[in-house]
Amino acid sequence: MTGEAAMAVQAKKVAVYVLVVFVAYVIITDPDKATGYVQIGFQGISDAAQALGDFATWVANGGE
């Protein structure tokens, strides 16, 4: 592994750690707001899955 690759892996680990600490902080300090964020996230995932399904159906129908 080159020096740059090792630094990229370290940077990714630090970013994940910071994200986990932030999520834990939000959950601990304001559980209601955290619930809202989770609902927004799941709604986004649901919308994306619906859009992919619609696209796949469109492609399967020959793009009509």
Side-chain angles (χ1 to χ4, degrees):
M1 189 179 297
T2 65
E4 290 179 15
M7 287 178 56
V9 170
Q10 285 296 97
K12 188 181 288 187
K13 286 181 182 179
V14 170
V16 169
Y17 178 74
V18 168
L19 180 64
V20 168
V21 169
F22 175 74
V23 168
Y25 172 79
V26 170
I27 291 170
I28 291 168
T29 60
D30 195 350
D32 293 332
K33 187 181 283 188
T35 302
Y37 290 150
V38 169
Q39 288 174 340
I40 290 169
F42 279 124
Q43 184 63 46
I45 292 169
S46 175
D47 291 346
Q50 179 66 44
L52 284 172
D54 291 346
F55 176 73
T57 301
W58 177 78
V59 169
N61 289 334
E64 295 178 11

